[in-house]
Amino acid sequence: RGAPSAVLTVTADNKTRGYGVANPALTATLSGFIAGDNAGNSTTGSAALTTTATIASPVGSYPITVAIGSLASANYTFGTFTNGTLTITAAPLVVTADNKSRVFGAANPAFTFTVTGFTNGEGTSVLTGSPTMTTTATATSAPGNYPITITAGTLANSNYTFSFVNGTLTVSQAATTTVITNAAALAANATPVGQAYAVNWSVTPVAPGAGTPTGTVLVSDGANTCSAAVGTGTCSLTSTTVGAKTITAVYSGDANFAGSSATAATHTVVI
């Protein structure tokens, strides 16, 4: 009788992949060879390897089942088959706070976010909860850039991990409207040359901007000027030539409010 065949152990190799990724090639390792033999010179065919995991399987561990398949050998038998494990790990998502903008004096806008990196054709509908987004900017914060800080909050899905990218809230100057408030009176009445007359104005923020503009308003008839702090609301202009005058009022603006020009008024200066 011939010597009994040596026995080989066939072990399915453990594998790892991310959620939503195709299964890797499944492989097996043969052990128990003697006298310098190996799988290449002592066996033919290959083990049958299967797993229940599909591309849509959630994060977790799945058996890799190994069977004899087409393995054959003249000198060895295949005595033990040891299953392996396919580990599916969470796929990475990037959660980015969307950039936002507003004007000085306005309330902060609603913060929103964008998520990238989904697999299996999925989208935000598979997520539960929402991230937490905050900023240091308040309605009275000066124009400039402020971080929108984003953290996990209650955002969750066991098949994904999350990384976070902050956004930027840009606060710009609020627009203003300047009006010559006594334009009708200026148009209806004449002033003797060399005599001062009042030019009145208002400067108001354009909604949703809010607050109190500072700075100065410059009034001109094209040749002569007067100016005063915006809150004063008036200055006295003296025209030095006769004729019809075009009266302008220009608000200079400040750190929080953009400048603006009033619709011109008319005024007649007589001898």
Side-chain angles (χ1 to χ4, degrees), residues 22 81 94 193-194 198 208 214 239 247:
F81 292 86
V94 177
V193 65
T214 62
S239 297
I247 309 302

Side-chain angles (χ1 to χ4, degrees), residues 1-23:
R1 298 173 59 186
S5 298
V7 178
L8 297 180
T9 297
V10 184
T11 303
D13 299 325
N14 294 330
K15 299 289 182 177
T16 300
R17 68 163 174 87
Y19 173 69
V21 178
N23 288 334

Side-chain angles (χ1 to χ4, degrees), residues 33-259:
F33 291 104
I34 59 176
D37 287 346
N38 55 53
N41 62 26
S42 299
T43 64
T44 60
S46 59
L49 295 151
T50 59
T51 182
T52 57
T54 69
I55 195 169
S57 295
V59 165
S61 296
Y62 297 83
I64 300 173
T65 304
V66 61
I68 192 166
S70 60
L71 278 174
S73 174
N75 299 318
Y76 293 92
T77 60
F78 303 96
T80 302
F81 292 86
T82 302
N83 293 339
T85 299
L86 172 64
T87 301
I88 299 178
T89 59
L93 295 180
V94 177
V95 186
T96 302
D98 299 326
N99 295 330
K100 298 292 182 177
S101 62
R102 66 166 175 85
V103 298
F104 175 81
N108 288 333
F111 294 139
T112 57
F113 62 95
T114 300
V115 184
T116 56
F118 287 105
T119 64
N120 287 334
E122 294 175 341
T124 54
S125 63
V126 302
L127 304 178
T128 60
S130 59
T132 298
M133 291 175 286
T134 59
T135 184
T136 57
T138 67
T140 57
S141 295
N145 292 327
Y146 298 84
I148 300 172
T149 303
I150 184 169
T151 57
T154 58
L155 194 66
N157 183 295
S158 60
N159 292 322
Y160 294 99
T161 60
F162 302 97
S163 62
F164 298 90
V165 179
N166 293 338
T168 299
L169 172 65
T170 299
V171 178
S172 57
Q173 289 177 309
T176 59
T177 299
T178 299
V179 176
I180 298 174
T181 57
N182 63 337
L186 288 171
N189 299 285
T191 300
V193 65
Q195 180 177 314
Y197 52 94
V199 178
N200 305 331
W201 63 75
S202 67
V203 177
T204 56
V206 175
T212 303
T214 62
T216 60
V217 173
L218 177 67
V219 173
S220 174
D221 67 358
N224 306 279
T225 62
C226 67
S227 64
V230 62
T232 303
T234 188
C235 68
S236 295
L237 181 63
T238 301
S239 297
T240 55
T241 59
V242 300
K245 305 298 180 181
T246 298
I247 309 302
T248 59
V250 178
Y251 167 53
S252 61
D254 64 13
N256 298 325
F257 295 94

